[in-house]
Amino acid sequence: MNKEKLVILGSGPAGLTAAIYAARADLKPLVLEGPHPGGQLMTTTDVENFPGFPDGIMGPQLIDNMRKQAQKFGARCEMKAVSRVDFSDPKSLKMTVNGEEVTADSVIIATGSVARWLNLGKGEEKYWGKGYTACATCDGAFFRGKAVAIVGGGDSACEEATFLTKFADKVYLIHRRKELRASKPMQQRVFENDKIEVIWNQNVTELRGDPLLESVELTETDTGEKSELKINGLFMGIGHDPSTKFLDDSLELTNGYIKVENHTNTSVPSVFVGGDVADWHYQQAISAAGWGCMAALDAEAYLTSLEA
Ligand code: NAP
């Protein structure tokens, strides 16, 4: 059994920023990178809104830089995932890692969330970064003067449709039903915006274009009738799934996201949290990084209090 001082779960911006801070505090953190090392930035191309990179930086490069920075100060990054945890004893946190048991005095959970994609099974991954994206905040500015569509009928889709009208000339909001799930004020904003057209009762069933996205096939949900919509960008607004499955009932959750108190505290005093696994709202690389920093500082204070 391996006994660690601090284990960080996840290797996106939250986990790696936590690792940089914890390593600089000489905590020698073990970073378990998870099933998708680097997280959502690994499927992102140009990142133009992360401070410090005036010419932008590719998502995977940004992750690689963060990992190297953490390792430089002594973080140990391992491509392993936690399948089970037992947090019943806060002084000895247990995790099953690739079949082995690891215990730790403190854990930072930064396992992020996964954007929901269409999953049509028709090779639509080839359009990632070529018009098919799940982040309006990150990629909206690439579609200045173009026509784009966002799929979904919740608050995210409505908020992002409105945001996209800052850049795009035309924004289609494609929803699979005849009424939106979003809150009334959010719906109102969509209906009052001349640039947004809501397309009701339709599913996107195919992405087309070579190599860039040029159009999508729509299928009417009741009749199955097909049509084509010409667009340059397709945004996903159908929600995110926080990566919390391995926790079982070990921590309190809210709507599937880890419940947080006092910035980074969870329902177990030695377990801290940072980034999208607790954030249904901002979901940005920089907000995750900032939160990872806070989690590391709080974990450090907790570990210091054990020595007192
Ligand atoms: P959401 O509320 O779960 O809505 C997801 C939407 O995507 C639904 O309209 C759903 O359709 C649709 N959808 C799901 N899977 C689909 C698929 N495979 N194909 C087509 N459409 C699909 O998710 P969200 O909008 O991301 O919001 C998540 C949470 O954050 C909510 O609690 C929301 O209120 C909150 N939020 C708040 C704000 C704000 O207050 N400013 C902003 C953003 C998010 P159906 O309606 O048919 O199920």
Side-chain angles (χ1 to χ4, degrees):
M1 183 180 19
N2 300 322
K3 174 97 168 77
E4 299 285 338
K5 202 171 214 176
L6 175 64
V7 173
I8 297 171
L9 307 185
S11 54
L16 292 176
T17 305
I20 292 167
Y21 273 76
R24 291 196 75 234
D26 213 18
L27 296 174
K28 300 185 175 49
L30 172 65
V31 181
L32 298 174
E33 297 199 346
H36 306 289
Q40 295 193 69
L41 277 182
M42 299 303 283
T43 54
T44 309
T45 50
D46 254 332
V47 180
E48 291 193 325
N49 54 7
F50 200 94
F53 300 95
D55 300 321
I57 181 165
M58 299 300 272
Q61 184 64 58
L62 181 56
I63 286 295
D64 195 43
N65 290 355
M66 289 184 190
R67 184 186 289 111
K68 281 188 182 133
Q69 198 172 346
Q71 286 171 329
K72 184 175 121 182
F73 295 114
R76 291 160 295 140
C77 298
E78 296 187 4
M79 282 174 65
K80 291 179 179 169
V82 172
S83 52
R84 268 196 78 244
V85 299
D86 175 358
F87 293 160
S88 53
D89 178 2
K91 294 224 161 89
S92 180
L93 304 164
K94 295 185 182 59
M95 288 152 280
T96 307
V97 183
N98 289 22
E100 282 180 26
E101 190 169 280
V102 174
T103 63
D105 295 332
S106 183
V107 169
I108 293 174
I109 300 181
T111 45
S113 68
V114 182
R116 290 188 198 136
W117 298 87
L118 291 172
N119 292 328
L120 302 173
K122 295 181 182 174
E124 67 267 22
E125 304 77 27
K126 74 175 183 191
Y127 294 106
W128 279 346
K130 295 193 169 81
Y132 185 35
T133 162
C135 184
T137 313
C138 321
D139 296 337
F142 296 129
F143 295 91
R144 213 173 280 278
K146 308 264 172 138
V148 301
I150 182 153
V151 182
D155 281 325
S156 297
C158 289
E159 191 169 68
E160 288 170 16
T162 308
F163 174 77
L164 287 167
T165 60
K166 288 178 184 225
F167 312 103
D169 279 352
K170 179 81 188 177
V171 177
Y172 298 98
L173 189 142
I174 303 168
H175 185 38
R176 64 185 177 183
R177 293 188 297 129
K178 283 187 182 131
E179 63 180 324
L180 297 175
R181 176 183 295 279
S183 59
K184 291 287 173 233
M186 214 67 99
Q187 294 193 25
Q188 194 80 8
R189 259 178 255 164
V190 164
F191 297 143
E192 286 172 359
N193 193 316
D194 291 341
K195 282 188 174 179
I196 303 177
E197 181 178 333
V198 183
I199 298 182
W200 300 105
N201 239 25
Q202 301 273 353
N203 276 313
V204 173
T205 43
E206 194 175 294
L207 277 57
R208 296 172 180 165
D210 187 21
L212 300 178
L213 181 73
E214 289 163 17
S215 69
V216 292
E217 178 192 74
L218 298 179
T219 303
E220 224 277 348
T221 39
D222 294 333
T223 63
E225 194 180 322
K226 296 193 187 300
S227 59
E228 187 170 44
L229 180 69
K230 291 203 177 303
I231 45 168
N232 306 104
L234 181 68
F235 290 79
M236 289 296 96
I238 61 176
H240 285 74
D241 294 313
S243 305
T244 54
K245 222 173 181 176
F246 65 97
L247 288 172
D248 230 340
D249 286 331
S250 301
L251 291 181
E252 281 180 39
L253 307 179
T254 314
N255 292 329
Y257 291 80
I258 294 178
K259 189 176 169 196
V260 187
E261 275 173 35
N262 294 328
H263 307 300
T264 73
N265 289 106
T266 68
S267 50
V268 175
S270 49
V271 180
F272 301 85
V273 67
D276 289 10
V277 71
D279 177 15
W280 54 263
H281 186 63
Y282 296 103
Q283 301 179 333
Q284 299 301 301
I286 188 63
S287 51
W291 201 339
C293 153
M294 295 193 291
L297 294 176
D298 289 347
E300 183 194 357
Y302 168 80
L303 289 166
T304 306
S305 77
L306 294 183
E307 290 161 12

